[in-house]
Amino acid sequence: MNKAFDLKTLDALKIDASFINALPGDPVTENYTRQVARACYSHVTPESFPEASLIAYSKDIAQSLGLDPQECESELFTQVFSGTRLLDSMRPYACCYGGHQFGNWAGQLGDGRAINLGDVHAPDGKLWTLQLKGAGPTPYSRSADGLAVLRSSVREFLCSEAMYHLGVPTTRALSLIATGNQVVRDMFYDGHPKKEPGAVVCRVSPSFIRFGSFEIFSARKEQDILKTLADYTISRNFPHLGKPGKAVYLQWFREVCQSTATMIIHWMRVGFVHGVMNTDNMSVLGLTIDYGPYGWLENYDPDWTPNTTDAEGKRYRFGNQPMIALWNLVQFANAIYPLIEEVEPLEEILQEYKDSYEKGWLEMMRSKLGFKESFKEDEALILSLIETFALTETDMTLFFRQLAEISKDSEPVAGLHTLEEAFYMPELTDEARQGFTSWLQKYLARLGKETRSDDARKAAMNDVNPLYVLRNYLAQLAIDKSELGDHSMIEELLEVLHSPYSYQEGKEHLAQKRPDWARIRAGCSMLSCSS
Ligand code: AMP
Ligand code: MG
């Protein structure tokens, strides 16, 4: 792939509408807020933004779609991916779905500010759905405006691409476009509404179907539609499973559970906190979807959530994500139960999720610590590291990169010196010093059992422990500049985050601990659902 002659202009892209051709749609075509019964989608036209301008695009995803990246700089591209102009083959629609929000059934949600443009047949045979986020209201907008602000759009655009290059399953982003219009938002829901610049992101994914896409039809007892949607999903995204039937639905559920486990293990590996793991934000493909008030662990704290809307119960805190994913899978199991009508096999598969998560997490943590071999004592050593982290604020990303620098035959005191860069406090307390020294003693003893050389272990550790992640304050700095019309930091981050595991000369400033000013600044450590 990626040969120049393979790449097409926008007009030449092969786009179709498999979703709307295969599934029942809403007969009402006017765009007003409503409950939509017995339909998977509603036809809707995006808003027009004559002043739209391109901020950034992803060359990679353009190429994957078979689109010549140069096309991304054309006026037509900005018009199409702001929603202002449609290509002839596009028949835009918004999907109907429901969901459990913060543990409660919320009824119909749907694409309130997402509009699908259609499916692109990529040169590699893959089918990718293109979806605009923030291009205007739909029948599912409820009381909201269907728009998105620049700050949340920058965050979604950058993080989708960053996650992809970290090796975390995710939806992708093709473009980030300023609409030229203002959007009013009360960022912390405290009576201080403000005008902010608006933007549209074009998201790209093999599917945007969520757990909530099935929950809505099950809750409404529209079982024929539930089945039609399940069969469509299986034939499009799980074709290897064969012709749908009870056994295939179960195998499908198993794959959803397994891919969800894999995704969460990756989140735990890189220190990602989604922030709003409602069932409408869970992809059936196990992709990270709907980047809202997400955040990256700076100091390792399992209780941390960036989402101020969730500050009280901290339901979606870092350490709770595996459990919440299971809770969400239970809701998904309930939703597809009418297709299976047997509880036991579903429960068995949910148990498999728990087992594979635990096993996979342990493997992942072993790899972060540089263990090739596996020993029984490893789990205790890993758990004791997590306890030790609580003794002083320790930057998760820098800690694991520094750990890779320690050689097998080091003394614990020298090892501690190597780790210093990762600690937020300039001086460790006695308790923290002792805690880390005693952990290092055990770690070094364990390293002694490894047959790999220091260099080989370091290389392997640096392949799973990123150096560059989209630190919360870095995203905020890029947003601050972008709001003033300077998009250079978005470009810089996009480029550096393309190779997050490799040291990049001159980019040291993007691999630093969170500065003190960012500790309590909105957007850096505190985000709300307002976007
Ligand atoms: P989220 O928690 O961001 O995934 O959103 C939950 C629901 O609210 C989804 O149905 C979204 O489409 C909808 N929603 C969020 N923001 C807006 C908005 N500005 N306009 C319309 N719908 C929205
Ligand atoms: Mg959502």
Side-chain angles (χ1 to χ4, degrees):
M1 238 270 293
N2 294 351
K3 282 183 242 137
F5 54 81
D6 275 335
L7 299 171
K8 297 194 173 73
T9 60
L10 261 179
D11 277 322
L13 280 189
K14 198 165 162 251
I15 300 178
D16 74 21
S18 91
F19 192 88
I20 59 179
N21 290 335
L23 297 165
D26 175 8
V28 181
T29 51
E30 284 116 289
N31 194 354
Y32 62 91
T33 302
R34 59 183 180 270
Q35 290 292 306
V36 176
R38 295 199 55 75
C40 293
Y41 65 88
S42 303
H43 293 283
V44 54
T45 308
E47 240 175 63
S48 188
F49 300 104
E51 303 297 321
S53 59
L54 180 73
I55 296 178
Y57 64 93
S58 159
K59 278 196 194 87
D60 287 341
I61 193 73
Q63 281 180 342
S64 301
L65 294 171
L67 183 65
D68 184 342
Q70 278 190 356
E71 274 287 284
C72 300
E73 295 181 24
S74 68
E75 181 56 28
L76 179 63
F77 182 89
T78 297
Q79 288 175 342
V80 170
F81 293 105
S82 59
T84 305
R85 186 164 153 185
L86 294 172
L87 298 174
D88 289 344
S89 49
M90 289 174 170
R91 292 167 67 201
Y93 62 95
C95 292
C96 182
Y97 57 80
H100 279 84
Q101 295 185 313
F102 296 93
N104 303 304
W105 175 241
Q108 177 182 299
L109 296 168
D111 285 334
R113 57 164 162 183
I115 299 178
N116 303 278
L117 295 176
D119 300 319
V120 176
H121 291 266
D124 60 3
K126 288 202 184 116
L127 199 58
W128 295 93
T129 303
L130 303 178
Q131 182 183 81
L132 302 182
K133 184 166 172 180
T138 76
Y140 309 97
S141 296
R142 298 179 293 158
S143 58
D145 56 12
L147 303 172
V149 287
L150 178 64
R151 63 180 151 83
S152 65
S153 308
V154 169
R155 287 167 49 82
E156 173 136 26
F157 174 78
L158 282 178
C159 204
S160 315
E161 291 307 282
M163 291 282 265
Y164 174 75
H165 294 295
L166 283 165
V168 185
T170 179
T171 59
R172 303 289 302 273
L174 171 65
S175 55
L176 168 64
I177 293 176
T179 60
N181 286 8
Q182 303 274 298
V183 176
V184 178
R185 288 289 181 271
D186 184 358
M187 201 199 288
F188 287 109
Y189 307 111
D190 59 359
H192 294 93
K194 219 178 86 184
K195 279 189 183 165
E196 299 188 44
V200 176
V201 169
C202 177
R203 312 197 288 189
V204 179
S205 175
S207 167
F208 287 98
I209 296 179
R210 303 129 192 280
F211 292 6
S213 308
F214 300 92
E215 285 181 279
I216 190 75
F217 299 115
S218 199
R220 288 176 168 167
K221 307 217 173 337
E222 294 172 353
Q223 283 177 22
D224 51 336
I225 304 189
L226 174 72
K227 182 176 179 330
T228 309
L229 181 64
D231 293 357
Y232 167 79
T233 304
I234 291 168
S235 74
R236 172 162 167 185
N237 302 109
F238 301 80
H240 53 280
L241 294 181
K243 196 171 168 291
K246 196 160 129 179
V248 165
Y249 294 132
L250 281 172
Q251 186 54 23
W252 172 48
F253 181 55
R254 179 172 284 116
E255 292 199 12
V256 175
C257 288
Q258 292 298 322
S259 61
T260 302
T262 302
M263 172 186 79
I264 303 285
I265 291 166
H266 281 293
W267 290 2
M268 305 311 276
R269 173 174 66 84
V270 298
F272 177 79
V273 190
H274 182 284
V276 205
M277 288 177 71
N278 292 333
T279 57
D280 54 302
N281 292 339
M282 297 291 292
S283 142
V284 285
L285 296 186
L287 303 173
T288 313
I289 191 172
D290 280 9
Y291 291 88
Y294 68 80
W296 292 83
L297 280 196
E298 277 157 342
N299 52 301
Y300 190 98
D301 177 3
D303 287 337
W304 186 69
T305 174
N307 185 0
T308 53
T309 318
D310 187 27
E312 211 167 294
K314 291 193 179 175
R315 178 179 172 87
Y316 298 139
R317 62 189 182 273
F318 179 69
N320 217 26
Q321 298 187 119
M323 207 283 279
I324 288 293
L326 176 63
W327 192 92
N328 289 341
L329 286 164
V330 171
Q331 307 317 313
F332 180 60
N334 287 336
I336 61 167
Y337 172 80
L339 305 174
I340 295 156
E341 292 182 312
E342 258 191 277
V343 174
E344 224 172 76
L346 290 167
E347 280 178 350
E348 274 166 28
I349 295 169
L350 288 166
Q351 184 59 46
E352 285 171 24
Y353 163 86
K354 285 194 227 168
D355 299 342
S356 15
Y357 176 77
E358 272 162 31
K359 198 162 163 275
W361 180 81
L362 196 59
E363 270 317 296
M364 176 276 284
M365 289 303 287
R366 270 201 184 101
S367 70
K368 282 182 83 68
L369 290 174
F371 301 157
K372 192 171 178 210
E373 272 98 327
S374 107
F375 289 92
K376 222 170 169 270
E377 74 225 44
D378 294 351
E379 188 169 1
L381 189 63
I382 291 162
L383 296 177
S384 111
L385 174 62
I386 292 172
E387 280 172 21
T388 309
F389 279 150
L391 297 176
T392 189
E393 283 188 340
T394 311
D395 191 89
M396 175 180 176
T397 305
L398 294 183
F399 177 87
F400 286 102
R401 292 296 285 209
Q402 288 304 111
L403 194 67
E405 300 290 331
I406 298 177
S407 68
K408 270 193 230 183
D409 46 20
S410 303
E411 289 299 319
V413 177
L416 189 59
H417 187 62
T418 307
L419 296 179
E420 262 163 18
E421 204 177 300
F423 299 133
Y424 276 87
M425 294 299 145
E427 282 286 325
L428 287 186
T429 61
D430 288 347
E431 194 196 3
R433 182 170 298 281
Q434 275 159 21
F436 275 98
T437 311
S438 99
W439 183 80
L440 274 170
Q441 235 154 14
K442 289 180 275 178
Y443 177 67
L444 288 163
R446 170 66 184 81
L447 279 191
K449 297 186 184 175
E450 287 288 313
T451 49
R452 263 196 306 208
S453 70
D454 279 337
D455 281 350
R457 178 172 41 83
K458 177 178 166 179
M461 286 172 81
N462 286 350
D463 279 348
V464 293
N465 296 318
L467 176 59
Y468 303 98
V469 294
L470 185 58
R471 289 175 181 271
N472 312 308
Y473 83 92
L474 292 175
Q476 188 56 44
L477 288 176
I479 291 164
D480 291 344
K481 285 192 176 177
S482 184
E483 285 180 343
L484 297 173
D486 172 2
H487 310 308
S488 57
M489 193 167 170
I490 297 177
E491 275 312 320
E492 185 185 23
L493 285 170
L494 189 62
E495 202 180 311
V496 169
L497 295 169
H498 199 273
S499 310
Y501 298 97
S502 313
Y503 167 76
Q504 295 168 53
E505 213 179 319
K507 298 298 172 192
E508 296 79 1
H509 60 289
L510 301 178
Q512 302 289 320
K513 276 178 288 200
R514 169 200 61 215
D516 244 9
W517 60 259
R519 192 178 280 269
I520 49 160
R521 215 199 118 180
C524 297
S525 54
M526 297 183 300
L527 291 132
S528 74
C529 283
S530 154
S531 56

